């Protein structure tokens, strides 16, 4: 009898012990990550640590964002300037470049500047298509505390604090050098009728190159501008205007003064189609100093090119970094330039970068 009662008793005892063990493993007096249980202390495996948050970007690490509004691509000179900016800032880890092509329209440049302001860029660079009409948008940039650098052309504003600096050439001096070289090459005593191919109406380069040239020939009554018309700084328009000049008064034209090389190259085509020899029958002087102009001098079709350096990227970069470091750049950062003709131009041709 005692034996018969022993097995149920053992079974009950075993079930009781099993229940106690299950209670000890399943209950916790602490959190899911560990704590005391009624049957002893048990600790669960710790949860994986969260990934560390990325370090905040410091001022030293932050890129300088430059918004550049370019006039367009009307000439080889303009293309060279664009390439200089893109190479300078696109290859420098300190900078981020935002580029806008205005396609020769001021309204597109104003839209681009307002877009740059909305994007909160650090610096704006502007190659203005014309001189006037910039004050409202430049005031907006100033209110946003964004410095503006002008490239290769200036603007007319009542408050010059609206832009930080102008980087570019002395256009009046370029016109004066064109006149001086023409007189030296042709002779002060020779009577010379000149046709002028002007740049874009309202552009500072066109206004000042015209002014400088007129000042250069003013003291010599033998040199006279008989026709003057805009060729918009383009080769196609330069050719078109020169064709009209030749058609109306071809026999009385002795010289061409073109505000840029591309218009001069267009004029060369028109003169050849008219049946005359450019550079011999008609003296030609132009401004810019693009490689194609040096090639035309070598071929004897162009007489003189007055250099206007478009490689402004490095000068702009230095000015921006100086400003960031607390050094105010000069209001006018001038380019170094020369006058090329004859053998001097031929010798320089292999080294031309634009």
């Amino acid at each position: 009898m005692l034996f018969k009662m022993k097995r149920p008793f053992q079974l009950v005892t075993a079930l009781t012990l099993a229940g106690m063990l299950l209670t000890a493993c399943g209950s916790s007096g602490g959190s899911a990550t560990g704590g005391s249980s009624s049957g002893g202390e048990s600790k669960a495996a710790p949860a994986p640590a969260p990934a560390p948050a990325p370090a905040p970007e410091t001022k030293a690490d932050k890129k300088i964002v430059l918004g550049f509004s370019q006039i367009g691509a009307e000439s080889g000179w303009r293309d060279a300037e664009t390439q200089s900016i893109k190479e300078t800032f696109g290859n420098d880890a300190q900078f981020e470049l935002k580029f806008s092509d205005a396609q020769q329209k001021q309204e597109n440049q104003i839209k681009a500047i307002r877009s740059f302001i909305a994007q909160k860029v650090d610096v704006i660079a502007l190659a203005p298509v014309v001189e006037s009409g910039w004050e409202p948008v430049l005031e907006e940039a100033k209110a946003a505390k964004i410095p503006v650098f002008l490239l290769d052309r200036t603007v007319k504003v009542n408050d010059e604090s609206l832009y930080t600096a102008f980087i570019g050439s002395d256009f009046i001096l370029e016109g004066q050098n064109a006149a001086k070289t023409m007189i030296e090459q042709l002779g002060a005593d020779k009577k010379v009728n000149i046709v002028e191919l002007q740049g874009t109406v309202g552009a500072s380069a066109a206004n000042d190159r015209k002014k400088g040239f007129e000042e250069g020939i003013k003291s010599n009554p033998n040199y006279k501008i008989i026709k003057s018309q805009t060729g918009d700084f383009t080769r196609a328009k330069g050719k078109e205007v020169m064709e009209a000049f030749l058609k109306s008064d071809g026999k009385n034209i002795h010289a061409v003064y073109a505000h840029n090389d591309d218009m001069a190259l267009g004029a060369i085509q028109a003169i050849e189609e008219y049946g005359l020899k450019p550079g011999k029958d008609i003296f030609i002087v132009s401004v810019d100093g693009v490689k194609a102009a040096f090639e035309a001098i070598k071929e004897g079709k162009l007489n003189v090119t007055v250099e206007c350096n478009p490689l402004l990227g490095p000068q702009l970069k230095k000015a921006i970094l100086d400003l960031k470091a607390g050094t105010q750049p000069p209001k006018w950062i001038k380019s170094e330039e020369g006058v090329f003709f004859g053998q001097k131009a031929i010798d320089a041709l292999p080294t031309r970068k634009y």
Side-chain angles (χ1 to χ4, degrees):
M1 189 69 180
L2 289 170
F3 180 77
K4 288 182 178 178
M5 294 178 64
K6 184 176 180 182
R7 289 180 64 86
F9 177 79
Q10 289 174 333
L11 181 60
V12 171
T13 304
L15 290 171
T16 302
L17 289 170
M20 291 174 66
L21 287 169
L22 288 170
T23 303
C25 291
S27 297
S28 173
S31 69
T33 58
S36 297
S37 70
S38 60
E41 186 173 309
S42 176
K43 292 184 179 179
E57 192 174 45
T58 65
K59 284 188 177 181
D61 298 329
K62 186 178 181 292
K63 288 189 175 185
I64 301 169
V65 182
L66 168 65
F68 175 44
S69 173
Q70 177 60 286
I71 293 168
E74 82 281 4
S75 65
W77 190 98
R78 186 67 50 194
D79 292 340
E81 182 186 56
T82 296
Q83 190 64 22
S84 177
I85 298 296
K86 287 184 174 180
E87 286 180 357
T88 300
F89 294 95
N91 295 328
D92 192 323
Q94 298 177 90
F95 290 91
E96 178 185 341
L97 176 65
K98 295 181 181 293
F99 178 81
S100 175
D101 183 336
Q103 300 180 335
Q104 301 287 111
K105 296 179 180 178
Q106 184 183 31
E107 58 265 34
N108 289 344
Q109 290 198 293
I110 291 172
K111 287 178 185 176
I113 293 170
R114 288 192 168 130
S115 175
F116 293 151
I117 294 169
Q119 294 175 69
K120 298 181 180 179
V121 302
D122 299 300
V123 187
I124 292 172
L126 167 67
V129 64
V130 294
E131 282 187 307
S132 60
W134 298 105
E135 287 199 62
V137 74
L138 291 182
E139 285 170 354
E140 291 171 30
K142 183 178 180 180
K145 298 182 180 179
I146 301 174
V148 176
F149 287 87
L150 305 178
L151 294 188
D152 82 73
R153 296 183 183 181
T154 58
V155 297
K156 284 185 176 178
V157 290
N158 292 323
D159 179 7
E160 290 197 346
S161 73
L162 294 178
Y163 66 92
T164 300
F166 162 63
I167 303 173
S169 307
D170 186 335
F171 301 133
I172 291 177
L173 180 61
E174 289 172 352
Q176 291 171 341
N177 284 337
K180 178 184 176 184
T181 310
M182 180 184 286
I183 293 169
E184 288 174 350
Q185 294 284 310
L186 292 177
D189 297 333
K190 187 175 181 179
K191 184 176 180 181
V192 178
N193 293 330
I194 306 161
V195 293
E196 180 182 32
L197 297 173
Q198 294 184 46
T200 303
V201 174
S204 60
N207 294 342
D208 289 351
R209 286 172 185 169
K210 179 175 181 60
K211 180 180 179 181
F213 188 85
E214 289 174 348
E215 288 176 357
I217 64 171
K218 188 176 181 179
S219 61
N220 192 320
N222 291 325
Y223 284 72
K224 183 180 178 182
I225 297 173
I226 60 171
K227 291 183 182 293
S228 182
Q229 187 174 323
T230 180
D232 255 346
F233 283 127
T234 69
R235 189 176 303 197
K237 193 68 181 290
K239 182 176 186 288
E240 179 186 319
V241 173
M242 191 66 205
E243 286 172 342
F245 286 164
L246 290 165
K247 186 176 181 180
S248 65
D249 206 10
K251 293 181 180 179
N252 291 321
I253 298 171
H254 305 128
V256 173
Y257 168 48
H259 288 191
N260 80 338
D261 292 333
D262 276 75
M263 290 189 295
L265 294 169
I268 286 170
Q269 290 179 281
I271 292 167
E272 288 179 323
E273 290 174 9
Y274 187 74
L276 296 176
K277 293 182 178 181
K280 293 182 174 63
D281 296 326
I282 297 179
F283 186 93
I284 305 171
V285 59
S286 59
V287 183
D288 273 356
V290 300
K291 192 169 186 178
F294 282 74
E295 290 169 345
I297 291 174
K298 185 177 181 179
E299 294 168 358
K301 297 180 179 182
L302 180 69
N303 301 93
V304 180
T305 183
V306 178
E307 187 178 34
C308 180
N309 187 1
L311 307 180
L312 303 180
Q315 286 179 287
L316 175 60
K317 175 182 168 181
K318 183 180 184 303
I320 292 171
L321 292 176
D322 284 348
L323 186 65
K324 184 184 178 186
T327 301
Q328 185 68 31
K331 198 67 176 177
W332 184 358
I333 302 169
K334 293 187 180 183
S335 306
E336 294 183 4
E337 298 160 348
V339 179
F340 294 87
F341 53 88
Q343 193 60 44
K344 179 183 177 182
I346 294 169
D347 291 343
L349 176 57
T351 64
R352 300 307 290 179
K353 294 182 179 180
Y354 56 92

